[in-house]
């Protein structure tokens, strides 16, 4: 997958209305879903298109691990032309493996409903065991990596043959290691009156030595802005991190001497 962001570029795209999908069990798998689409997934506590949602219905955090973390979902921009269905999954990190080959755990099955702007959304509340976040792979990763961990949450646009035409990517932060202690948050932009609230931002990059490592820090103003920062070295993506409290950080382990 290609990254289209420059070094320390804040992804300040807006997130949209919720999609409630029919729960159909499926195995975890790895898949290259093609190119990332500039945009976001939005979660809500009710079903319906974005026009029916507001800040009061938007969901950005929670602790219910045994049901789907949202009731409805949508995206802030439409899928590419030719898309006939949309589904979502959580990617579980695997050391030394490219992200597009990480295990993908379905969080919803496909939806085919679209609003007037062409955005897909769910229309029924189908919480089920297939949609929960306390899946075996996630809990195993949480046990092996205590504390807060970030998981790419992808929403994939598919054609009539279920081939991906691109995907939206947000970061899901999870803490805890059991169904009872799991808590989560997603870096979706705020929605006001059925419209994603876009905020102009300024991003400043700094770097400092941390022993043999190099600590990169991207300061984003205003501090309340939500989004992601992608750190790059030339054409190589180092990592993408959600902005928290106006800051996103990335550590380069033992870099070699150079410019």
């Amino acid at each position: 997958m290609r990254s289209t962001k420059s070094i320390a570029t804040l992804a300040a795209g807006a997130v949209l209305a919720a999609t409630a999908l029919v729960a159909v069990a499926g195995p975890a798998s790895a898949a290259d879903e093609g190119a990332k689409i500039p945009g976001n997934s939005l979660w809500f506590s009710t079903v319906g298109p974005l026009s029916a949602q507001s800040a009061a219905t938007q969901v950005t955090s929670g602790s219910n691990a045994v049901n789907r973390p949202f009731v409805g979902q949508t995206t802030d921009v439409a899928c590419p032309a030719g898309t006939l269905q949309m589904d979502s999954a959580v990617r579980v990190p695997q050391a030394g493996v490219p992200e597009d080959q990480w295990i993908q755990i379905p969080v919803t099955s496909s939806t085919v409903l679209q609003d007037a702007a062409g955005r897909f959304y769910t229309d029924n509340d189908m919480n089920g065991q297939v949609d929960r976040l306390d899946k075996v792979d996630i809990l195993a990763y949480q046990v092996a990596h205590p504390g807060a961990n970030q998981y790419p949450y992808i929403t994939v646009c598919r054609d009539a043959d279920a081939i991906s035409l691109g995907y939206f990517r947000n970061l899901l932060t999870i803490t805890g290691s059991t169904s009872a202690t799991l808590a989560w948050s997603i870096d979706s932009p705020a929605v006001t009156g059925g419209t994603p609230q876009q905020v102009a931002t300024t991003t400043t990059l700094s770097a400092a030595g941390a022993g043999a490592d190099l600590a990169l820090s991207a300061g984003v103003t205003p501090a309340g802005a939500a989004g992601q920062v992608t750190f790059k070295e030339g054409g190589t993506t180092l990592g993408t991190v959600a902005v928290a409290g106006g800051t996103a950080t990335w550590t380069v382990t033992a870099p070699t001497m150079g410019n």
Side-chain angles (χ1 to χ4, degrees):
M1 295 182 294
R2 301 188 301 275
S3 171
T4 60
K5 293 181 173 56
S6 58
I7 186 167
T9 298
L10 175 66
V15 184
L16 298 187
T19 305
L21 305 173
V22 177
V24 177
S29 61
D32 183 350
E33 303 293 7
K36 179 180 177 296
I37 302 169
N40 299 274
S41 295
L42 293 173
W43 293 357
F44 297 93
S45 60
T46 61
V47 297
L50 182 60
S51 59
Q53 307 296 344
S54 67
T57 62
Q58 187 173 10
V59 175
T60 57
S61 62
S63 58
N64 186 337
V66 298
N67 290 313
R68 179 189 297 166
F70 54 84
V71 174
Q73 172 183 281
T74 187
T75 56
D76 52 1
V77 297
C79 283
T83 301
L84 294 183
Q85 62 188 58
M86 186 181 77
D87 55 52
S88 301
V90 174
R91 285 176 165 171
V92 180
Q94 294 175 265
V97 178
E99 183 183 310
D100 61 11
Q101 296 178 29
W102 290 358
I103 291 173
Q104 290 186 188
I105 300 175
V107 177
T108 60
S109 60
S110 297
T111 183
V112 298
L113 294 169
Q114 292 178 271
D115 64 14
R119 295 177 294 239
F120 286 84
Y121 69 95
T122 52
D123 75 332
N124 58 341
D125 182 1
M126 293 293 292
N127 278 323
Q129 292 302 301
V130 68
D131 295 332
R132 68 187 192 273
L133 290 181
D134 63 345
K135 295 293 188 68
V136 172
D137 297 284
I138 292 177
L139 291 181
Y141 190 86
Q142 288 296 121
V143 170
H145 304 81
N149 296 293
Q150 291 185 325
Y151 300 77
Y153 177 81
I154 64 169
T155 299
V156 186
C157 305
R158 302 191 186 280
D159 65 14
D161 296 318
I163 296 173
S164 173
L165 300 179
Y167 66 97
F168 301 91
R169 182 183 186 275
N170 291 81
L171 285 177
L172 185 64
T173 300
I174 297 179
T175 60
S177 57
T178 67
S179 297
T181 61
L182 221 62
W184 53 265
S185 63
I186 191 169
D187 66 338
S188 297
V191 170
T192 302
T195 302
Q197 184 179 4
Q198 297 184 338
V199 180
T201 61
T202 300
T203 304
T204 304
L205 180 67
S206 60
D213 300 334
L214 180 66
L216 303 177
S217 178
V220 179
T221 55
Q228 303 173 16
V229 171
T230 295
F231 295 92
K232 300 180 71 176
E233 179 183 7
T236 302
T237 297
L238 302 177
T240 299
V241 183
V243 177
T247 304
T249 60
W250 184 268
T251 298
V252 181
T253 303
T256 57
M257 293 293 291
N259 294 325

